[in-house]
Every structure is written in C-alpha cells, then in structure tokens.
Amino acid sequence: TCAKFINAVRHGPVNEMRVLILRSGRGEGKTTATCWACMALAERLATESPAALPLRVGVVRATWTNLERTTLPTFEEQARLGLDLEFLNGRREAVVASRGQPFVHFWFFGLDRPEDADKLQGFTCGILILEEVAPAAGVASGVPASVLGIGATSVRQSGVPPRILVPMNPSDKNHWILRVEDHLAGLGLKDVVVSHFVIPSGERSAHFRALAAMGEGEAWAEAADAFDAYRTRNRAFLEAVGRHDLVARLVEGEIGEVRLGTAVVPNFSRALHVAKEPLAIVRGLEVLRGIDAGINDLHPACCWIQCGSDWLNVLGSRVGSNIGIEEFVRRDVWPFERK
C-alpha cells in the first residue's frame, strides 16, 4: 500500500493537484512512506526539471510537541539508516542532499506556535503534508480544517506537480477530512485528484515475513514478531482502560466513533440536541464563557453558553491538546469570538 501511495505522489501530469490520504493504525509506516514519497517526486524532478530542485515541503502538525515526539524521530531514523539528511534552525527545517546538492527541503510547523501559523500563510511549497489531522484519543481538535484551505494556496512551487499528503490514524466518521474528501471528489474538478489509501491492519508484519521467506534474512522475521507484539500490547492496554473505540482506530485502522468517557448527561442525543446549523445569538442576553484548564493544564477547553428560563444553548466549544492556557486563548478562543 505504501508503494502505491509513493507512486501516486511521483506520477501524474505536472499541473494536476493530488490530495492523497494514507490511513492506517499506529506503526504501519505512514510517516516513513510520506518521507520517501517526497524523495520519489524529487527524483522525478531531477530528471524532468532539475531547475525546480530542491523540492520544498511543508510538514504541519497540531502542536510542536507532537512533531518532536513522533514526526521528527521518524526523520532521524531515516538519517540513521543512510538518508543524507541534516536538521537546521533548531530542527525546524531539514535538508536532504543528493550528490552534495540540496534535494528536498522540509519545513516543520507546529500550530501551537503563533509564529509557525503566521509563517505558513506566506509559505510556498511543492508538497504540503498534514500529519495526523484527526486526534488520536478523540479529545483534541487535531489539525483545523482551515489549515487545509490556507495550505492549499501555498502549494505552488514552480515546475512541481502540486501535492497535499495526509498521513493519518483513522478519524471518527464525522471528522472534517472525510467531508472534504467527499466534497472535492464530488466537484469533478479536472485538475484535482483525491485518493484514499488504506494500509490493512498487520500488512507491515506480513510484508516482513514475506521478505524473510524470500531469504532476505532472519532480521525480517524478528521485525515481524516485534511489530505483532507491539499491536498486541496496544490492544491489551486500550481494552484494559475501556477504550474499545480506540482499538478499532489505532490498532485495526478503522474509521470509528469517538467516545469520551461516561456521559455527564446520560440521555444526550446528537440527533436531538445538536443543531443542524449554527444557533442564533440572542441579543441582549449575556453569553457565559467557561474555561477548563484540562489535565496538567495542557488540555484546555472553552465553551460559550446562553441560558434562558427553561433552555440552554451551547453556541460553540473549542478543545486544545498539549498547549498552555495563554496560547489556547490566543490561538482558539479569541479567533472564535471575533468570528
């Protein structure tokens, strides 16, 4: 599946924008495949339009912390395995060289850093990567939909086939990325192609075992055993804490439901209680704003409410992940109130 995804990035008409989603459970190789997809497109440019090199790539994730925890270590691993990659500017950039010349230039953006969000608006690239647009545990906003809209206008590097790549764990069925995928596909735009690649659960270990059977070495069989053990542990721990919804998403790689724990209001119904369109603000009636600092003051939430004598309207809400209160207010609360 990763090979098909990489080929889809590399090939195609030069003016055709491709929005390519690569979905799987954890550990199946999404970020690695995305990194090498960039190398494959740069390899094509080296033959067809070498003046366009280096290929410019923007890598966006909801927080800088998550970039440091999972995305950057994947790039470091590729360097240890032989990729000629050097980090620059405090690991906010990375350059891959080929024959001593810049080949691919990566920029990393964490959206919890206001300066990163500002830089993204004026950025130009050939590939935009939106890492993990859906939150893993269902308690954060992930990458906002607006980033795709703004980021798409940045994908305009001269001589480079435009690409938007979305490596992701499965979202819940109501996530914005699925609506965007359906919307773009339904428009029938001549120069826009949307494709969704799904890595079957366990494909990685099956691939390793096939390599071992071909005589490629016992290390492949050991790697397959290690990955199977990793998935088994993940399932066991998630089931132990009652998060069967995350077993489906993070282990099996399936689109699922988000369950946030025991409901405060047991008879809550999304169909009955959630409006199909934004609620009208009652003029002259006080709007109450409630802020919760969240676990360890790093997962804040805010909601806006108006109350009548026998009714309560939640006008909107925002949730942050791995972000302090002040940054959360600047990034999410104030923009929502201005809107």
Side-chain angles (χ1 to χ4, degrees):
T1 305
C2 289
K4 292 177 181 177
F5 172 77
I6 291 170
N7 280 326
V9 174
R10 173 172 179 145
H11 298 295
V14 69
N15 291 323
E16 180 179 85
M17 172 173 275
R18 293 188 171 185
V19 181
L20 305 174
I21 301 170
L22 181 61
R23 171 166 65 88
S24 78
R26 278 192 165 174
E28 294 280 2
K30 299 182 297 294
T31 302
T32 300
T34 304
C35 174
W36 285 99
C38 297
M39 302 303 133
L41 184 57
E43 188 177 55
R44 169 184 169 179
L45 296 175
T47 301
E48 296 182 1
S49 52
L53 292 174
L55 172 61
R56 296 168 57 90
V57 181
V59 183
V60 181
R61 195 149 182 184
T63 69
W64 180 257
T65 299
N66 286 336
L67 273 171
E68 287 189 307
R69 285 176 177 170
T70 57
T71 305
L72 296 184
T74 298
F75 281 78
E76 292 168 346
E77 181 182 9
Q78 304 313 303
R80 288 194 298 270
L81 293 173
L83 184 64
D84 188 0
L85 180 145
E86 179 184 3
F87 283 101
L88 306 171
N89 191 22
R91 300 210 306 168
R92 291 179 178 84
E93 301 175 33
V95 174
V96 175
S98 176
R99 299 178 181 176
Q101 298 298 317
F103 193 58
V104 181
H105 193 149
F106 294 94
W107 279 262
F108 301 100
F109 300 94
L111 296 182
D112 55 336
R113 296 165 50 87
E115 60 269 33
D116 284 355
D118 292 342
K119 289 177 183 176
L120 181 63
Q121 294 186 25
F123 185 67
T124 299
C125 61
I127 296 180
L128 176 69
I129 299 173
L130 303 182
E131 272 262 320
E132 300 297 2
V133 295
V139 295
S141 58
V143 175
S146 59
V147 175
L148 174 63
I150 295 171
T153 67
S154 299
V155 186
R156 53 189 178 90
Q157 184 180 355
S158 179
V160 178
R163 301 287 184 261
I164 298 177
L165 311 182
V166 188
M168 58 179 283
N169 292 315
S171 64
D172 68 275
K173 64 182 182 181
N174 296 315
H175 195 269
W176 65 260
I177 189 63
L178 302 181
R179 296 195 299 271
V180 166
E181 180 184 0
D182 291 342
H183 179 76
L184 290 175
L187 289 177
L189 299 175
K190 183 176 66 173
D191 295 324
V192 177
V193 172
V194 182
S195 297
H196 197 139
F197 298 82
V198 180
I199 303 175
S201 178
E203 181 182 80
R204 177 174 177 167
S205 56
H207 178 58
F208 289 168
R209 294 190 194 285
L211 291 172
M214 293 168 58
E216 296 291 333
E218 294 183 2
W220 289 112
E222 294 173 358
D225 291 340
F227 186 64
D228 284 342
Y230 166 75
R231 294 179 65 249
T232 300
R233 289 196 305 270
N234 289 349
R235 176 187 296 275
F237 278 96
L238 289 170
E239 290 179 342
V241 297
R243 292 305 303 266
H244 299 279
D245 57 323
L246 292 185
V247 172
R249 293 173 59 195
L250 303 184
V251 180
E252 300 301 334
E254 299 171 354
I255 299 292
E257 298 279 358
V258 172
R259 185 170 62 78
L260 301 182
T262 304
V264 177
V265 183
N267 60 349
F268 171 78
S269 165
R270 181 171 294 276
L272 291 176
H273 297 136
V274 178
K276 301 300 186 292
E277 56 188 25
L279 296 171
I281 298 175
V282 180
R283 299 297 173 183
L285 185 63
E286 180 180 46
V287 176
L288 305 176
R289 180 179 66 193
I291 292 183
D292 185 343
I295 301 171
N296 298 327
D297 293 338
L298 283 175
H299 302 281
C302 182
C303 65
W304 291 263
I305 300 174
Q306 283 190 313
C307 301
S309 59
D310 60 351
W311 57 269
L312 180 151
N313 282 352
V314 180
L315 301 175
S317 63
R318 290 291 183 271
V319 183
S321 177
N322 291 314
I323 184 173
I325 285 286
E326 182 177 350
E327 289 180 280
F328 174 66
V329 169
R330 292 180 183 277
R331 191 191 74 175
D332 295 305
V333 175
W334 287 349
F336 180 83
E337 292 186 358
R338 285 194 293 268
K339 178 182 176 182

